[in-house]
Amino acid sequence: MSQIFSFSGEENFFHGGSVYSNPKEAGLLLSLGHHVDTYLPRKRARTTARFGDRFQQKKRASIDVLPDECLFEIFRRLPGAEERSICASVSRRWLILVSNIEKKEISSAVLDMDSDNGYLTRNLEGKKATDVRLASIAVGTGSRGGLGKLVIRGSNSTRRVTNLGLRAIARGCPSLKVLSLWNVATIGDEGLIEIANGCHQLEKLDLCSCPAVTAKALIAIAENCPKLSELTIESCANVGNGGLQAFGRFCPNLKSLSIKDCPLVGDQGIASVLSSATFALTKVKLQGLNISDVSLAVVGHYGKAVTDLVLANLENVTEKGLWVMGRAEGLQKLKTLSITSCVGVTDRGLEAVGNGCPNLKVFCLRKCALLSDTGLVSFAKAALSVESLQLEECHRITQAGFFSLLLACGAKLKALSFTSCFGIRDIPFEVNLPSYFTTLRSLSIRNCPLFGDMNLSMLAKMCPQLQYFDLNGLHEITEVGLLPLIGGSNAGFVKVNLSGSINVTDEVVFSLTKLHGGTLEVLNLEGCGKVTDTSLAAVADDCLLINELNISRCAITDVGIASLARSKHIYLQILSLSGCSSVSDKSLPYLVKLGQNLMGLNIQNCNAISRTVVDMLVERLQRCDFLS
């Protein structure tokens, strides 16, 4: 600018050249289409004075006749962020100019007046995500504490978010600490490099389905954002080992690493990060990657600070990898471990993991087809601190393994969950009960179709401390097994889920409310077609603390709803009546009375309730959320 204008004064013009590094960039943002109301000065019609007039009409002056360079110099000298924000609201031209002012370009005389501590959060989804919106955020948050978190989910279909919008954020929001980009195909390396150069306070980066991002951008982030502590990369097809290696070299404070479905990431990248952040990294998730046993060996050796580990869909990992990971004995601080769909999970490998993780508290195993009773019991005996165990779709686990597991770790296990394990059958067998009872507090058996009454009767003898039980979708269980389980608990049930267990009757509910009505808070009987109004009367009489009740698709009528409404001590917050075809308009006054405390009411597929009554309920119960 000094070459064009001869300017003298106390402060020189900014010598950064044009506002746009590429002259075409201004056109990219200002040419927004015919549907955008862009402020541009209109040409005045030329007027001709009458013959004899001495003076010609004067043309009215306008600041918009100034070129971008002059406006830029004016804007950067404004006394504060609020004044710049006001100017940015005049037109899109001014907005783009103001949003491209970097922190270092603001006049030093007014820089100290701005407060930029990163207190604000902005979330943009779908059509709201445009470059113009990002420019507005960059300008507007400066006077309100500074932008600390930016989340973008998707992009506008016609005016997509691009690198130009991210550049505005980078220049106007140096306080940015959290950046999350999901499903934004039009943002690539250029935009993230701008973030790296302008947002050195960045602590968390979350990228999902950003195909234009490569290692080049990640290297820039790693080199310029030393405070980065959380990194999540998912479904980014062009991210490879080079980017991860940069984080290993330049981000010693990295505490959380999650890499999912990135086909170019291999052992080299994972090994580099883990070996460099040995004493900082506490959470690691590796899913859907082309890594081998080498990566698991590195995890086992260098994961000295890791407390949470997730391994999922690792097709190239074998038994050897898990065995080495456990034998390396580097996971001494590991507390939570989840393994899903890893063919390397065998009896021998799992036992090694149990021996190598002495402080493991929570273990979750899903879709591991090669694991048998032997491996599960060996793991339970080796992992001396496990308190919560979850198994899903492990079909080689049988009834013998189930109860051997309880006997092996019953003195420490507090929560046990089996989901869709088809190998557990209801077979008569003898078990030598220990001299002590298990400390199990929570039991969940879901969608195990052959789990029946004999197993429940045995559990009743072994688990007197149960407080939470979930028996979802067990078609074989009846009151023969349920009544001993209900009667065998000394602690008092708090949450009970019997949804989908089609043989549950009023007798079961009556026993449950009589013995545990003083502690029961949540009861789910969805799909229990043999439950009638008698059960609701028992709930109304004996359940003092219940706040959530689901009786969807039960044989309930208006009489049962009336029983609940007449109770003087029931204060339900959530009530679900979905599919109760016998509940009609007659229940209106009872639902209104119950609704004084309700926060949620589900009356979907209650065909006997008319639209008029639904509208009346919505009008009267304004605090309540409806599903109708």
Side-chain angles (χ1 to χ4, degrees):
M1 294 300 299
S2 60
Q3 297 175 357
I4 301 175
F5 297 93
S6 177
F7 178 78
S8 60
E10 297 180 357
E11 184 179 357
N12 292 329
F13 269 51
F14 172 65
H15 297 286
S18 173
V19 178
Y20 303 96
S21 57
N22 184 349
K24 295 183 179 179
E25 289 180 1
L28 291 177
L29 278 172
L30 294 176
S31 300
L32 299 175
H34 66 277
H35 56 281
V36 178
D37 296 329
T38 306
Y39 178 85
L40 294 173
R42 296 182 178 180
K43 293 183 178 180
R44 292 181 57 86
R46 180 176 295 178
T47 59
T48 304
R50 292 183 179 181
F51 180 79
D53 287 351
R54 292 185 177 182
F55 302 100
Q56 187 178 6
Q57 185 176 351
K58 290 185 178 180
K59 197 173 185 179
R60 189 163 46 187
S62 172
I63 193 173
D64 274 301
V65 301
L66 295 176
D68 289 348
E69 290 81 359
C70 292
L71 289 174
F72 181 84
E73 293 297 332
I74 294 172
F75 293 152
R76 79 181 188 91
R77 285 173 168 78
L78 292 174
E82 185 173 355
E83 286 76 10
R84 290 192 294 276
S85 179
I86 293 173
C87 287
S89 65
V90 171
S91 69
R92 280 180 170 79
R93 180 192 177 197
W94 286 26
L95 170 63
I96 301 306
L97 286 171
V98 174
S99 68
N100 276 276
I101 301 176
E102 296 185 57
K103 194 79 171 180
K104 63 183 179 181
E105 295 171 341
I106 298 176
S107 172
S108 58
V110 300
L111 187 60
D112 295 337
M113 298 177 61
D114 291 345
S115 175
D116 199 9
N117 299 314
Y119 295 132
L120 302 180
T121 297
R122 293 293 182 265
N123 294 278
L124 301 181
E125 296 188 11
K127 64 181 181 180
K128 294 182 179 179
T130 64
D131 284 341
V132 173
R133 181 64 63 89
L134 288 179
S136 300
I137 290 173
V139 174
T141 56
S143 60
R144 297 175 176 83
L147 183 67
K149 180 178 180 180
L150 176 63
V151 178
I152 301 177
R153 298 286 188 266
S155 182
N156 189 290
S157 58
T158 56
R159 293 174 292 163
R160 298 178 181 274
V161 171
T162 68
N163 294 320
L164 295 179
L166 215 56
R167 184 180 69 176
I169 293 294
R171 296 189 174 187
C173 307
S175 61
L176 188 68
K177 295 180 176 65
V178 179
L179 176 62
S180 180
L181 304 175
W182 284 21
N183 301 315
V184 189
T186 48
I187 287 182
D189 292 342
E190 183 182 347
L192 284 177
I193 291 174
E194 290 282 354
I195 292 291
N197 293 330
C199 305
H200 302 301
Q201 305 300 317
L202 194 67
E203 298 176 1
K204 181 178 179 180
L205 178 64
D206 179 9
L207 303 176
C208 178
S209 298
C210 297
V213 174
T214 70
K216 182 179 179 181
L218 297 184
I219 291 172
I221 292 286
E223 291 178 345
N224 292 280
C225 304
K227 294 184 178 180
L228 194 74
S229 61
E230 295 185 38
L231 175 64
T232 300
I233 305 176
E234 179 178 343
S235 301
C236 294
N238 291 310
V239 170
N241 292 324
L244 293 184
Q245 289 173 328
F247 287 111
R249 291 195 302 270
F250 299 107
C251 298
N253 298 317
L254 192 64
K255 297 180 180 179
S256 176
L257 175 68
S258 176
I259 311 296
K260 177 181 177 182
D261 296 334
C262 296
L264 298 183
V265 172
D267 293 326
Q268 191 175 5
I270 299 300
S272 178
V273 176
L274 290 171
S275 60
S276 301
T278 299
F279 299 104
L281 203 58
T282 58
K283 295 182 179 180
V284 177
K285 179 179 179 179
L286 307 176
Q287 181 173 348
L289 306 178
N290 293 321
I291 60 175
S292 67
D293 296 336
V294 173
S295 290
L296 264 64
V298 172
V299 170
H301 184 75
Y302 289 102
K304 299 183 184 301
V306 174
T307 59
D308 298 84
L309 176 61
V310 176
L311 306 174
N313 303 324
L314 304 178
E315 297 180 355
N316 298 324
V317 169
T318 68
E319 178 188 80
K320 182 180 178 181
L322 281 175
W323 186 85
V324 173
M325 186 179 77
R327 296 284 291 180
E329 297 185 351
L331 298 174
Q332 299 293 307
K333 294 184 178 181
L334 189 66
K335 296 184 181 299
T336 302
L337 173 62
S338 176
I339 303 178
T340 302
S341 298
C342 294
V343 295
V345 177
T346 62
D347 294 345
R348 182 169 174 263
L350 196 61
E351 182 180 4
V353 170
N355 286 318
C357 306
N359 294 304
L360 188 64
K361 300 290 186 183
V362 179
F363 181 50
C364 181
L365 201 61
R366 299 185 181 95
K367 299 181 180 180
C368 296
L370 300 180
L371 180 67
S372 70
D373 293 341
T374 302
L376 181 62
V377 175
S378 298
F379 169 83
K381 292 179 178 179
L384 301 177
S385 301
V386 171
E387 297 179 354
S388 176
L389 187 60
Q390 304 171 37
L391 274 79
E392 181 177 346
E393 295 189 32
C394 298
H395 301 308
R396 293 187 65 187
I397 304 300
T398 68
Q399 181 190 57
F402 178 84
F403 284 101
S404 296
L405 173 67
L406 278 176
L407 293 174
C409 56
K412 56 192 176 182
L413 198 63
K414 295 180 181 179
L416 180 63
S417 174
F418 276 72
T419 301
S420 301
C421 295
F422 298 158
I424 303 178
R425 300 172 180 270
D426 207 37
I427 303 173
F429 73 107
E430 294 293 333
V431 174
N432 294 322
L433 294 177
S435 57
Y436 60 88
F437 292 108
T438 67
T439 58
L440 199 67
R441 296 287 191 274
S442 175
L443 174 66
S444 175
I445 311 294
R446 299 173 63 89
N447 301 319
C448 297
L450 301 179
F451 197 98
D453 290 333
M454 283 184 284
N455 292 329
L456 283 185
S457 299
M458 187 60 65
L459 284 172
K461 299 176 183 179
M462 300 177 65
C463 308
Q465 303 301 316
L466 273 183
Q467 291 181 296
Y468 310 88
F469 77 84
D470 180 352
L471 305 178
N472 184 300
L474 303 187
H475 295 172
E476 297 296 318
I477 63 172
T478 68
E479 58 190 34
V480 174
L482 284 169
L483 291 178
L485 183 66
I486 292 171
S489 175
N490 301 324
F493 291 142
V494 177
K495 294 183 179 180
V496 174
N497 182 5
L498 295 171
S499 62
S501 298
I502 58 177
N503 294 314
V504 173
T505 63
D506 288 333
E507 185 175 354
V508 172
V509 179
F510 181 81
S511 176
L512 182 63
T513 56
K514 284 296 181 184
L515 296 176
H516 305 282
T519 57
L520 191 63
E521 296 178 6
V522 178
L523 177 59
N524 188 343
L525 300 171
E526 181 179 2
C528 299
K530 296 181 180 180
V531 171
T532 70
D533 294 334
T534 303
S535 292
L536 288 193
V539 170
D541 290 339
D542 299 315
C543 293
L544 306 178
L545 301 177
I546 192 165
N547 57 66
E548 185 173 337
L549 177 62
N550 188 343
I551 47 177
S552 299
R553 296 186 289 117
C554 293
I556 302 299
T557 70
D558 298 324
V559 176
I561 307 301
S563 298
L564 289 177
R566 283 194 290 266
S567 176
K568 296 182 180 180
H569 50 257
I570 280 189
Y571 297 96
L572 284 175
Q573 294 182 353
I574 306 294
L575 176 61
S576 181
L577 304 173
S578 176
C580 293
S581 56
S582 297
V583 176
S584 69
D585 291 349
K586 295 180 181 179
S587 291
L588 173 61
Y590 311 130
L591 292 175
V592 169
K593 185 176 180 181
L594 288 169
Q596 295 175 358
N597 301 295
L598 282 179
M599 302 298 291
L601 176 62
N602 184 354
I603 51 176
Q604 288 181 315
N605 301 315
C606 293
N607 299 326
I609 298 180
S610 66
R611 186 75 251 175
T612 301
V613 169
V614 172
D615 292 340
M616 293 176 65
L617 285 171
V618 172
E619 182 180 353
R620 295 188 187 186
L621 308 180
Q622 296 185 357
R623 294 178 56 232
C624 183
D625 291 330
F626 280 86
L627 287 175
S628 60

